[in-house]
Amino acid sequence: MTRIDFDGVGIDIAGTRIVSDVSLSVAPGEMVGLVGPNGSGRSTLLRSAYRVLRPVAGAVLIGGEDVWDLSAREAARRRAIVTQHTVLGAEFSVEEVVAMGRTPHKGMLDRDGAEDRRTVHRALEDVHMAWAARRSFATLSGGEQQRILLARALAQEARLLILDEPTNHLDVRAQFEVLDLLRRLGLTTLTALHDLDHAVSYCDRVAVMAEGRLVAVGAPADVLTPDLVHRVFGVRAVLDSPPITGGPRIAVASAASAPDRSPS
Ligand code: ADP
Ligand code: MG
């Protein structure tokens, strides 16, 4: 199992500081949810771990080594990525897309062996998409494509998963299936999430970003207090434990309807 450490990370885009001084560690086997309002810098922070944006301050360590010092192949063996906007040519079949996950394990001219094919098939079964193996990727719905991209990440057999809002475009049942699967895999997982309730229900810890900075990290119930949620997201929130979930959940409502807020 692999750990990831963001150590004082600062990131600039076009001369503007977008992420400032983020220090965050995800321990082996832990699932951490990265939450924050739109534009708070979650995707930008994750891009430093994908080696798309090089930090101007600090470092991103995967398994204790600076990810920017690893070869592309070694980085891909250590961590798999599911991003928000993945565009692939129309010509690829689902099987071919998932098989791309095997690339870091093969020589340049190697064909897929029996082992690769088994791994691809298992990954498709894990996301309940084995039926679509021969379909063209481009013809699938957004939610189905998202599951295929998760299968590609699983086929990579990295011990660390980094995901950017993996439940986007998924219907409510598929959202739970993906989150249940991530839990079941037990890999080191860092995932940006937009649904606070998913963070509460599935993550060991949550990390809250606002305006490019990390403002809180800890167990969901400790961090997502009504006060913090109001300050960061501008909504009212209450944590409780309804019988249907058996665990904690967070209910949110517009701050405008807050009984203690006078009309402006
Ligand atoms: P989040 O994922 O939390 O919604 P992002 O990391 O996508 O936030 O964006 C953080 C901020 O960085 C936003 O204000 C966004 O407009 C800005 N930003 C992101 N990418 C670029 C870019 N390529 N050029 C300029 N600004 C960018
Ligand atoms: Mg984002």
Side-chain angles (χ1 to χ4, degrees):
M1 215 73 77
T2 307
R3 62 180 296 119
I4 181 166
D5 301 282
F6 295 86
D7 184 7
V9 168
I11 302 169
D12 286 358
I13 297 177
T16 304
R17 185 59 51 96
I18 303 291
V19 165
S20 303
D21 197 26
V22 170
S23 292
L24 172 68
S25 294
V26 185
E30 191 184 28
M31 180 158 164
V32 172
L34 194 56
V35 302
N38 286 336
S40 57
R42 293 161 302 155
S43 295
T44 302
L45 179 69
L46 295 181
R47 278 188 201 114
S48 67
Y50 312 157
R51 303 182 359 141
V52 172
L53 293 171
R54 190 169 195 140
V56 292
V60 184
L61 310 175
I62 293 182
E65 281 182 83
D66 191 325
V67 68
W68 288 90
D69 291 341
L70 301 172
S71 67
R73 185 182 170 88
E74 181 55 30
R77 287 180 178 213
R78 291 189 189 197
R79 55 102 181 94
I81 291 162
V82 180
T83 57
Q84 262 177 310
H85 309 287
T86 304
V87 181
L88 288 165
E91 65 272 28
F92 292 110
S93 73
V94 161
E95 240 166 9
E96 286 167 335
V97 170
V98 179
M100 290 172 192
R102 302 302 301 156
T103 309
H105 299 284
K106 296 191 299 192
M108 207 148 51
L109 299 174
D110 286 356
R111 294 172 163 237
D112 288 344
E115 164 92 45
D116 294 313
R117 283 194 297 274
R118 266 197 302 276
T119 307
V120 166
H121 187 69
R122 203 164 48 229
L124 279 171
E125 284 188 330
D126 278 341
V127 300
H128 303 303
M129 289 295 294
W131 58 270
R134 302 290 159 90
R135 283 275 297 273
S136 151
F137 178 80
T139 64
L140 298 179
S141 74
E144 289 166 342
Q145 290 188 351
Q146 189 71 353
R147 283 149 75 168
I148 300 307
L149 296 170
L150 180 59
R152 181 177 67 173
L154 299 180
Q156 208 171 315
E157 295 187 308
R159 311 310 296 163
L160 165 66
L161 278 179
I162 303 173
L163 310 105
D164 198 348
E165 302 198 5
T167 57
N168 264 10
H169 312 300
L170 298 180
D171 65 49
V172 66
R173 175 175 165 180
Q175 291 179 18
F176 289 130
E177 281 176 0
V178 164
L179 292 163
D180 286 336
L181 173 64
L182 292 176
R183 272 289 11 156
R184 201 163 65 240
L185 290 167
L187 301 172
T188 311
T189 305
L190 175 61
T191 180
L193 293 170
H194 68 273
D195 188 323
L196 294 181
D197 201 43
H198 290 162
V200 168
S201 307
Y202 285 93
C203 295
D204 299 309
R205 289 189 301 144
V206 294
V208 184
M209 287 191 72
E211 297 173 0
R213 291 177 181 276
L214 202 58
V215 294
V217 189
D222 295 339
V223 165
L224 296 174
T225 59
D227 180 54
L228 177 126
V229 173
H230 186 261
R231 261 190 298 126
V232 172
F233 294 92
V235 297
R236 289 187 299 137
V238 61
L239 269 162
D240 63 0
S241 195
I244 186 177
T245 61
R249 68 108 197 241
I250 189 165
V252 293
S254 164
S257 60
D260 58 352
R261 215 182 115 150
S262 49
S264 48

